Amino acid sequence: MLREPRFADRWVDDLLKRVAGMPEIRAIAAHPTKDLFAVVVRENGRHQLYVTDRQLRRRVWFGPDSVLVPYDETTPVQFSPSGKLVAYIKEGTPQQVVIREVGTGDRVKLPAVLMPHTHACWGATDDELIIAGSSDGRGPDTVLRVSLHHGVIEILWAEGGHIRELGCSRKGTWMSVLQLSDLTSKDSPMIFLRLSDKEKFELAEMRGRQAKHIAWHSSRDEVAFIADHHDFPQVWKARWINGNWKPELVTDDPTEKDGVFWAHDETLWYTASSQGRRRLFHLSRDQEPLSSASLADGSIHQVVPTENSVYALWSSFGDVPQILRVHDASTARNLSWLDLHLPRVSKIAERVTLPVDELQVHAWYLRPEGSTSFPGVVYLHGGPTSQFRDQWDPLVTYLLYHGYAVLGLDYRGSAGYGRPFEEANDGDWGGGDVDDVVAAAHWLMNRPEIRHRQVAVMGGSYGGYLTLLALMKYPGIFRCGVALYGVTNRVSYWDETDWVGQRGLASEMGLPSERRELFMDRSPVIHLRNLRDPLLILHGEADPRVPVSQSEELVALIRELRPDADVFYRSYPGEGHGFRLPETRYDAWANILGFLNKYLRPAR
């Protein structure tokens, strides 16, 4: 029968106590010319905002709101032009823009506008805020210009569709918009709106290319952005010349660019993903890329240029996220105030390549140092267009600490390897990518240091979905599996998920109304009768992306069709898409370790 996991109390240790509730820097922002710095720290399950100087010598907490931290490079906190106000989007239902005075933390009243809000940027003055939002959070979006002092609300944009990104020029003369016309389209037309007369200009040369991350120059009508060129996203610039916007390709090399920034000396900095790391580069005057050599290891999460310096949020397999001040292309200094004193986990990290069909998939292989025999875990990231990078992951650290080898797999559909690889599972979710997971299992089993067949599969979100399918389509390959907040029924998921979930599914798999047979075949609930390996399912009850009803649907079928299955299930009240609360992490990770120990390290 289906059972509650009862492993937690047996696997309590000092490292779990520390990593489950430790504060973690999630995002940074800075005023370009004032000595103001904003740091978003996850503490006790909330994203708390602190405002400080750039040396992080003092901290002023701006609460009690929990700040919405986006998944991409978009800055969650923005200072007003004078630096006297700070704006951010508050998490919750509905999410909304909050404005506070920097000196006191007092809240500034915002006129009633559309709810919830999805994007915001400052106009030319502290009085002018530009907000995008919709009545239900799914679109179509409307963009409003709001006067804080007079309470005047003016509609700037009501073209339909969903706004993917919103930006404003530093001089307050232009607004930039990346818009998704419908759920199935991958194109994001780049449109500029002149605020003085609301005339629109589309960057026609970018049609058919996926564009993102528009960065405005501080003093002239010029932008930098990321958009496709051949097989890789590259850095582009566009300038206002002779009454129109003209694009120019800046980089052209086989690395995936994913963020671009103007520095104080008008040089461009950008981030690029390659070989499982996200590194920082800047362009010389002749546009030759120069890397930050001191940041060769680990991965950059975010970059913030200011008047005199460039700051980066960085982490690695062995280092928690920390703020670095990058002085030049070769030196960086840690400015983080968080001193966590975590135990060092001795490990060996190795990049590996696995041939699958005609593709080559890549992975990080992490194993405990000094051991000669241990069980292994195939670890699957979410997305699917994400990546297992050399960056901090407390759960991976916890597994290594307890003697598990981890193969962090970038299955087909992962980011970081060019557009063809990222699109290799389009229309085929739960198909070839599951084959990649099975190939990873065989590779791990053939390692001499891995105990025979002592290999599990584990993942969250899309990784949880792949975990379920791998266990059910290929029973007997893995000794057990851990599925965290994974989709179980692709058809019912469509009606239950939020707009972002629908968008990802429609753009890469199509619509369930048109491909119902395929959607059902790629649903774990259809293959439940094949399940014979032990399974642990964990899910947050307030998850908007993969609602807990997905796991509940599978659990109900297990009770009906497979009451003899060795399956454990637990849900967590108040948790969303990913576990934040210290008590949840404590229970979930202890149960994961106990579950793996039970089936990969059976008592002799």
Side-chain angles (χ1 to χ4, degrees):
M1 61 181 296
L2 195 77
R3 288 166 287 174
E4 276 269 330
R6 301 290 184 187
F7 308 109
D9 293 340
R10 291 191 291 159
W11 307 110
V12 176
D13 56 51
D14 183 60
L15 181 64
L16 177 58
K17 292 178 181 178
R18 295 189 190 187
V19 299
M22 72 177 191
E24 181 180 316
I25 300 175
R26 299 287 293 166
I28 56 176
H31 192 282
T33 59
K34 307 292 185 181
D35 190 23
L36 289 170
F37 210 87
V39 184
V40 179
V41 181
R42 181 162 58 194
E43 296 179 278
N44 299 315
R46 297 167 61 86
H47 289 138
Q48 309 281 19
L49 172 62
Y50 294 87
V51 174
T52 178
D53 60 20
R54 291 185 195 151
Q55 299 300 319
L56 305 184
R57 290 173 297 200
R58 52 185 169 81
R59 290 178 287 171
V60 180
W61 175 57
F62 278 46
D65 306 312
S66 186
V67 181
L68 180 69
V69 177
Y71 289 100
D72 56 21
E73 277 281 353
T74 308
T75 301
V77 180
Q78 298 186 50
F79 290 103
S80 67
S82 73
K84 295 179 180 179
L85 302 175
V86 63
Y88 54 91
I89 296 179
K90 176 186 176 181
E91 279 189 319
T93 306
Q95 62 194 42
Q96 62 187 44
V97 173
V98 174
I99 303 170
R100 293 186 181 273
E101 293 183 4
V102 168
T104 64
D106 292 342
R107 193 159 177 167
V108 177
K109 186 177 180 181
L110 185 68
V113 295
L114 287 176
M115 305 277 257
H117 308 143
T118 54
H119 302 278
C121 60
W122 289 99
T125 67
D126 284 13
D127 181 60
E128 185 177 288
L129 192 69
I130 296 175
I131 301 172
S134 66
S135 58
D136 60 1
R138 294 176 178 264
D141 285 332
T142 300
V143 182
L144 306 174
R145 177 160 51 186
V146 180
S147 171
L148 302 184
H149 181 68
H150 299 287
V152 177
I153 300 175
E154 176 188 9
I155 296 177
L156 294 177
W157 182 278
E159 301 293 316
H162 186 83
I163 292 176
R164 181 179 178 185
E165 188 174 316
L166 175 71
C168 303
S169 66
R170 298 282 179 82
K171 297 190 298 182
T173 53
W174 291 94
M175 179 181 78
S176 57
V177 173
L178 292 178
Q179 182 185 29
L180 297 170
S181 56
D182 58 65
L183 286 171
T184 59
S185 174
K186 285 193 173 185
D187 294 341
S188 302
M190 186 181 298
I191 301 171
F192 297 94
L193 178 74
R194 188 160 51 197
L195 295 176
S196 59
D197 56 11
K198 300 182 185 178
E199 186 174 0
K200 297 180 180 67
F201 300 84
E202 181 180 348
L203 206 56
E205 292 87 345
M206 293 297 109
R207 290 175 185 167
R209 306 174 191 261
Q210 295 185 48
K212 62 180 180 180
H213 200 258
I214 300 177
W216 282 92
H217 193 279
S218 60
S219 61
R220 59 176 182 262
D221 293 332
E222 183 174 358
V223 295
F225 58 95
I226 305 295
D228 289 346
H229 180 64
H230 297 147
D231 290 340
F232 287 89
Q234 301 290 350
V235 177
W236 295 71
K237 292 193 297 186
R239 297 180 63 188
W240 177 250
I241 302 175
N242 298 326
N244 213 335
W245 286 92
K246 302 294 183 183
E248 172 192 357
L249 181 67
V250 177
T251 63
D252 187 9
D253 60 82
T255 60
E256 188 162 300
K257 319 303 184 295
D258 43 25
V260 63
F261 321 87
W262 291 100
H264 65 283
D265 58 358
E266 300 191 352
T267 59
L268 278 175
W269 292 66
Y270 64 91
T271 52
S273 293
S274 178
Q275 295 300 309
R277 292 187 170 101
R278 190 170 188 238
R279 298 183 62 193
L280 179 62
F281 299 82
H282 81 274
L283 294 168
S284 64
R285 295 294 181 180
D286 57 1
Q287 298 193 156
E288 286 297 318
L290 302 172
S291 67
S292 273
S294 63
L295 302 179
D297 294 333
S299 291
I300 299 291
H301 298 261
Q302 191 180 359
V303 178
V304 176
T306 66
E307 186 178 28
N308 300 310
S309 299
V310 171
Y311 296 82
L313 183 59
W314 169 93
S315 74
S316 72
F317 287 136
D319 299 281
V320 299
Q322 50 200 269
I323 301 169
L324 305 178
R325 181 178 178 181
V326 184
H327 296 284
D328 51 43
S330 61
T331 59
R333 184 162 67 92
N334 184 359
L335 292 176
S336 299
W337 67 63
L338 299 178
D339 190 5
L340 301 174
H341 300 292
L342 289 174
R344 298 298 297 182
V345 178
S346 297
K347 63 189 174 301
I348 299 172
E350 175 186 355
R351 286 291 289 172
V352 299
T353 300
L354 316 175
V356 186
D357 301 328
E358 298 180 354
L359 286 177
Q360 289 194 334
V361 297
H362 304 274
W364 276 107
Y365 179 45
L366 309 174
R367 62 188 189 275
E369 194 173 36
S371 300
T372 58
S373 177
F374 33 74
V377 175
V378 176
Y379 192 90
L380 307 175
H381 64 72
T385 53
S386 183
Q387 188 181 20
F388 187 89
R389 293 193 183 105
D390 180 5
Q391 64 186 34
W392 175 250
D393 187 319
L395 180 53
V396 170
T397 300
Y398 187 56
L399 294 175
L400 289 167
Y401 182 78
H402 284 279
Y404 284 86
V406 176
L407 184 68
L409 179 68
D410 286 338
Y411 47 82
R412 69 189 72 186
S414 299
Y417 305 96
R419 195 65 68 194
F421 187 84
E422 184 175 312
E423 296 178 348
N425 68 343
D426 280 12
D428 190 42
W429 282 11
D433 44 15
V434 178
D435 296 335
D436 299 340
V437 176
V438 173
H442 288 304
W443 183 92
L444 201 52
M445 291 174 189
N446 289 328
R447 296 289 297 191
E449 66 274 14
I450 298 295
R451 296 173 189 165
H452 180 60
R453 293 192 51 74
Q454 304 299 304
V455 173
V457 60
M458 178 170 62
S461 191
Y462 193 88
Y465 164 69
L466 287 185
T467 293
L468 293 169
L469 277 181
L471 292 175
M472 295 176 190
K473 284 194 168 186
Y474 296 91
I477 296 293
F478 296 96
R479 289 299 302 269
C480 60
V482 179
L484 309 173
Y485 36 89
V487 172
T488 66
N489 185 329
R490 282 289 170 201
V491 175
S492 62
Y493 172 74
W494 176 263
D495 295 321
E496 296 169 355
T497 186
D498 59 7
W499 190 92
V500 177
Q502 284 190 341
R503 157 73 185 152
L505 188 59
S507 64
E508 298 191 28
M509 278 291 285
L511 300 174
S513 59
E514 299 173 358
R515 310 189 73 186
R516 184 179 178 86
E517 184 176 343
L518 175 64
F519 274 53
M520 291 308 299
D521 177 70
R522 302 302 169 82
S523 297
V525 293
I526 297 300
H527 305 281
L528 177 59
R529 291 186 185 275
N530 296 332
L531 179 66
R532 76 185 201 203
D533 305 308
L535 171 64
L536 173 63
I537 304 171
L538 304 175
H539 211 128
E541 294 181 7
D543 189 338
R545 186 67 34 79
V546 182
V548 70
S549 54
Q550 286 288 298
S551 286
E552 290 174 342
E553 181 177 352
L554 181 64
V555 166
L557 286 173
I558 290 172
R559 289 194 176 105
E560 176 185 351
L561 303 176
R562 294 296 313 277
D564 59 332
D566 206 2
V567 179
F568 303 84
Y569 171 64
R570 178 168 292 176
S571 62
Y572 295 99
E575 286 289 3
H577 197 58
F579 299 151
R580 290 189 188 177
L581 296 174
E583 55 270 27
T584 301
R585 289 179 150 198
Y586 185 91
D587 183 85
W589 294 350
N591 274 301
I592 288 171
L593 177 64
F595 175 80
L596 295 177
N597 283 347
K598 176 179 173 65
Y599 293 102
L600 297 185
R601 286 173 167 158
R604 289 183 174 86

